[in-house]
Amino acid sequence: MDILAELNPEQREAVEATGGPVLILAGPGSGKTRVITHRVAYLIKVCGISPRHIMAVTFTNKAAREMEARLYQLVSSSVKDLTLGTFHAICVRILRRDGKAVGVDPRFVIYDDEDQLSLIKRSLKEVGLDPKQYAPRAIASAMGAAKSRTVVPADYIQQGRSYFDEVVGRVYERYQQLLTESNALDFDDLLMKTVLLFRGSPEILSRYQTRYRHIQVDEFQDTNLVQYELIKQIGDGHRNICVVGDPDQSIYSWRSADLRNILSFEKDYPEAKVVLLEQNYRSTKNILEAASCLISANQERKAKGLWTNNETGELTTVVETYTEQEEAQFVVNEIERLVEQRGVRLGGCAVMYRTNAQSRALEEAFVRFGTPYKLVAGTRFYERREVKDIIAYLRLTQNPDDSVSLLRIINVPGRGIGQQTLAKLSNWAKSMGVSQYEALCRISELKDDEKPLFSPYITGKLVGFLNLMEGFITQSRELNLVALFDLVVESSGYREYILGQPDGEERWDNILELRTVAQQYRDLKPRDGLTTFLEGVTLISDVDGLDETVDTVTLITLHQAKGLEFPVVFIVGMEDGILPHFRSFDDPAQMEEERRLCYVGITRAKWRVYLVRAFRRSLMGSSTINRPSRFLDDIPRQLISGSSLWPGEEGQIASAVYSWNRSSAPSLPTDDSLPVQGLKAGNHVRHGIFGDGVVVSCQPVNGDSEVIVAFRGAGVKKLLLSFAKLEKVA
């Protein structure tokens, strides 16, 4: 196979640049995954580099799986010797092997977001603060930002400038102590601990530098400071670092991603070769031109001349509706029209939005019209209660010091162990400086003449749970993962417990699905299978489980949509305050990120884009009239096919987008039931074209009256009374 045969000249240049640092600026749809995989194959097959000396880093498990599949076709079995995975997965491997040098026990468990919040709430209480007064998520965000800069608690407390910093510092310090007691790391620790390991152990770093002669990093614009330092630490041994990314798609600053990493790469590596991938293979010419005009308004970027050999395609459709309900109805109706008249699959359509709250009106419309959909980042499989419970049993089996898992399942199923007992157990364990599991062990070892901590009844319940877990721990050394899984589910009483609930069958199906996942690890050695399984289910992300073969419409946030593609894309909420979000109004850097977010959404589309807004929107408890998104003004008129669902404007460019007087929005009535020129909600009317219908609402608008009517054959229509010529029937 000629590895270079299917590449365009720029892609070939990027693949063949194997010596020294390389910066590949890859526009959307330009084939960057193909370039990375072909670079790896080229290094192995042409340059003779052993796969063992190559590291390829991605940001999602989905991307890693796709890269692995492509590489298998190119280099076959050599894939198994590569170091390929996400930043977090690679750091887990490093810490399991060498983490002792920085105080990390190789048997550590990984706490996910829910576990982290649980431990933060406990930390707040233990430092004398009220979790209801100080938002745990805000504290988690502040701690995550600190860890992205490798700022440990002592330094954070010293650097604090505000009272909130003082609160975070106190919680951060106790939180890390509790993590250590539980032999646990959170996601941010995986990165920070690895960097601190390399800083403090040059001999260990040297070993990794010697091994990894070539490093490839995907989505480099999304790296934060600790990830950048990690790559620099390992890569400085040979300086064969190839980073691939696009500053125009940097949308994760809230996760501490630092755009400067890619913009300043050439300063840190002045000898770097820069390759531009500008040919787009995904979108039509019109979509690409609209996106390019939009993003060109940003200042913090590296200019690219995107182009494509694809067809010209249809213009971007800008649509204005009246409310978010009408916005959702338009989306559903248009998708159904595309399916029936244009042969589009439901699975080829995605509806994207800025905030999760926007999905409510959309979901209601899809349910009402019976159109199949899937909501990305609804309740994720691994966040479902029954799944978390079984995982907690298995985590506690692997690591008895895991206090979060212990507190989760010590009374699930119910064993008569209440919150007061658990609080007393926690305080006693804290006073002795041991884990809660070790405290249970000491309770079981008390002699008859020693003063008991609990009543004989409660002591018996606690010791019973301890004996149950001790049995699981013993069996985990002998049984494969599936056999251990079955033992836990049956012996704990969880199967009987879950099937006794009203929705028990559905929840039991989820447990069986988790067992299916466990079967992938049944051939590993007992303890190895358990450890690997727990790593896998903890590090998975929202889009990792997205099944693109299922024929349903995808509802997804713009942030989650990066890396995906669809034939048809709807972006709803194109209003100032929504997209761009109101929090960005006073921050030019944040405004540029909002524009990049819109750019990412548009460039997910292959052949059709709809930009939809509502004139009036109820969101987060209030109803507002929002201006059209300023980003619409960045797209030239000749690239837009506009329409408005306002009466009398069918087929025209949305007037409110381009000619609506933004300073004189119409006032809104407070009572839709008020009669308007003899009509009120519930009246039966007749229209010369639409036929018979029922009035849904009436309200005055700019000297006229707006009437919404549900017609028997024509559906819901919004009409101006002066033009509609409605006849009142009853």
Side-chain angles (χ1 to χ4, degrees), residues 475-648:
Q475 290 296 313
S476 71
R477 302 186 184 100
E478 305 293 335
L479 300 178
N480 68 38
L481 180 59
V482 175
L484 177 65
F485 186 100
D486 293 341
L487 176 69
V488 166
V489 171
E490 293 294 337
S491 298
S492 67
Y494 200 87
R495 180 178 185 274
E496 182 180 357
Y497 159 74
I498 207 69
L499 288 174
Q501 299 185 16
D503 54 352
E505 291 292 342
E506 181 181 347
R507 293 186 179 277
W508 177 246
D509 287 344
N510 290 331
I511 293 174
L512 293 180
E513 181 63 23
L514 182 64
R515 187 180 186 276
T516 300
V517 177
Q519 287 178 336
Q520 301 172 28
Y521 305 89
R522 69 184 309 160
D523 294 332
L524 297 178
K525 294 179 181 179
R527 295 293 292 187
D528 291 345
L530 178 59
T531 299
T532 307
F533 167 76
L534 291 174
E535 280 179 14
V537 299
T538 305
L539 294 176
I540 201 164
S541 67
D542 292 336
V543 298
D544 289 337
L546 181 60
D547 187 350
E548 298 176 25
T549 64
V550 178
D551 195 25
T552 58
V553 179
T554 298
L555 307 186
I556 189 170
T557 68
L558 286 160
H559 282 102
Q560 292 165 322
K562 194 158 78 69
L564 304 177
E565 60 180 34
F566 302 88
V568 180
V569 167
F570 294 80
I571 302 179
V572 299
M574 289 296 299
E575 304 141 37
D576 271 5
I578 306 294
L579 183 64
H581 198 274
F582 68 87
R583 293 194 187 98
S584 67
F585 285 175
D586 298 325
D587 188 335
Q590 286 300 311
M591 183 60 71
E592 290 210 350
E593 180 158 326
E594 293 290 305
R595 184 177 279 104
R596 292 194 293 269
L597 191 58
C598 187
Y599 172 79
V600 164
I602 291 174
T603 55
R604 299 309 93 197
K606 294 182 179 180
W607 68 271
R608 187 127 196 205
V609 173
Y610 294 83
L611 304 178
V612 192
R613 67 169 295 253
F615 169 75
R616 172 186 178 185
R617 184 177 299 275
S618 297
L619 196 63
M620 294 179 288
S622 62
S623 179
T624 60
I625 296 175
N626 296 323
R627 297 179 175 182
S629 171
R630 65 194 68 189
F631 297 155
L632 294 169
D633 296 330
D634 295 327
I635 304 175
R637 288 283 295 274
Q638 65 269 22
L639 297 176
I640 289 177
S641 170
S643 65
S644 172
L645 301 190
W646 289 56

Side-chain angles (χ1 to χ4, degrees), residues 128-411:
L129 297 172
D130 185 357
K132 295 180 180 179
Q133 185 177 356
Y134 302 98
R137 288 194 181 277
I139 293 174
S141 178
M143 292 194 309
K147 291 182 180 183
S148 76
R149 306 190 308 272
T150 61
V151 177
V152 297
D155 293 337
Y156 191 95
I157 293 171
Q158 187 176 6
Q159 296 169 10
R161 297 182 178 180
S162 66
Y163 178 67
F164 180 72
D165 289 340
E166 179 185 338
V167 168
V168 172
R170 291 166 61 192
V171 174
Y172 186 11
E173 185 175 45
R174 182 56 186 153
Y175 173 84
Q176 291 301 122
Q177 291 170 352
L178 291 174
L179 280 177
T180 301
E181 291 173 10
S182 298
N183 190 21
L185 300 177
D186 63 25
F187 289 139
D188 296 312
D189 279 328
L190 296 175
L191 304 174
M192 183 178 75
K193 294 286 188 182
T194 305
V195 167
L196 294 178
L197 166 67
F198 288 154
R199 284 185 190 174
S201 304
E203 69 287 353
I204 295 177
L205 173 59
S206 177
R207 176 158 33 92
Y208 286 94
Q209 288 178 336
T210 300
R211 174 176 175 179
Y212 294 115
R213 301 177 187 176
H214 290 270
I215 300 175
Q216 333 284 320
V217 186
D218 192 13
E219 303 288 6
F220 190 66
Q221 76 281 346
D222 294 331
T223 54
N224 58 27
L225 293 177
V226 70
Q227 289 165 332
Y228 183 68
E229 182 174 351
L230 176 65
I231 291 301
K232 198 170 186 301
Q233 285 175 325
I234 300 175
D236 274 355
H238 297 275
R239 293 181 73 83
N240 293 324
I241 300 176
C242 174
V243 299
V244 186
D246 181 6
D248 291 337
Q249 297 184 70
S250 178
I251 57 174
Y252 296 122
S253 65
W254 51 281
R255 291 182 183 170
S256 302
D258 197 324
L259 182 61
R260 293 172 297 181
N261 289 349
I262 191 168
L263 293 177
S264 304
F265 185 80
E266 295 165 85
K267 294 180 181 178
D268 291 339
Y269 298 92
E271 76 275 29
K273 180 179 181 61
V274 180
V275 182
L276 301 180
L277 301 183
E278 299 172 306
Q279 182 176 0
N280 178 284
Y281 292 91
R282 176 188 300 150
S283 307
T284 63
K285 288 183 173 69
N286 279 331
I287 290 176
L288 205 59
E289 188 174 352
S292 296
C293 291
L294 169 73
I295 200 63
S296 65
N298 274 4
Q299 301 297 315
E300 290 293 318
R301 61 188 300 262
K302 288 181 177 287
K304 296 181 296 298
L306 300 183
W307 62 279
T308 183
N309 282 328
N310 293 341
E311 63 181 353
T312 301
E314 304 195 38
L315 299 174
T316 297
T317 302
V318 175
V319 177
E320 178 178 78
T321 64
Y322 190 70
T323 64
E324 72 270 20
Q325 287 80 19
E326 190 178 270
E327 177 184 64
Q329 181 182 333
F330 163 77
V331 169
V332 175
N333 289 343
E334 184 65 6
I335 288 175
E336 291 184 345
R337 185 187 72 81
L338 291 171
V339 170
E340 293 173 4
Q341 300 180 15
R342 304 294 293 273
V344 177
R345 292 176 58 252
L346 289 174
C349 301
V351 187
M352 302 178 185
Y353 35 87
R354 175 62 177 83
T355 65
N356 280 304
Q358 291 172 257
S359 70
R360 178 192 57 81
L362 291 164
E363 285 194 85
E364 289 175 356
F366 276 91
V367 170
R368 187 166 64 251
F369 285 92
T371 304
Y373 73 96
K374 55 178 172 285
L375 178 69
V376 178
T379 302
R380 290 168 47 193
F381 176 79
Y382 291 104
E383 290 177 348
R384 291 169 181 158
R385 175 167 58 85
E386 61 277 8
V387 173
K388 290 278 290 184
D389 287 345
I390 298 302
I391 289 175
Y393 270 106
L394 293 172
R395 286 201 331 194
L396 194 61
T397 300
Q398 182 210 22
N399 172 23
D401 292 330
D402 180 358
S403 62
V404 169
S405 293
L406 184 146
L407 292 174
R408 182 181 184 93
I409 48 90
I410 192 172
N411 200 44

Side-chain angles (χ1 to χ4, degrees), residues 44 49-55 78-83 97 207-208 210-214:
I44 295 171
I49 304 297
S50 168
R52 187 176 181 278
H53 296 311
I54 301 172
M55 176 189 289
S78 297
V79 174
K80 69 179 186 301
D81 297 322
L82 287 166
T83 298
R97 178 176 178 178
R207 176 158 33 92
Y208 286 94
T210 300
R211 174 176 175 179
Y212 294 115
R213 301 177 187 176
H214 290 270

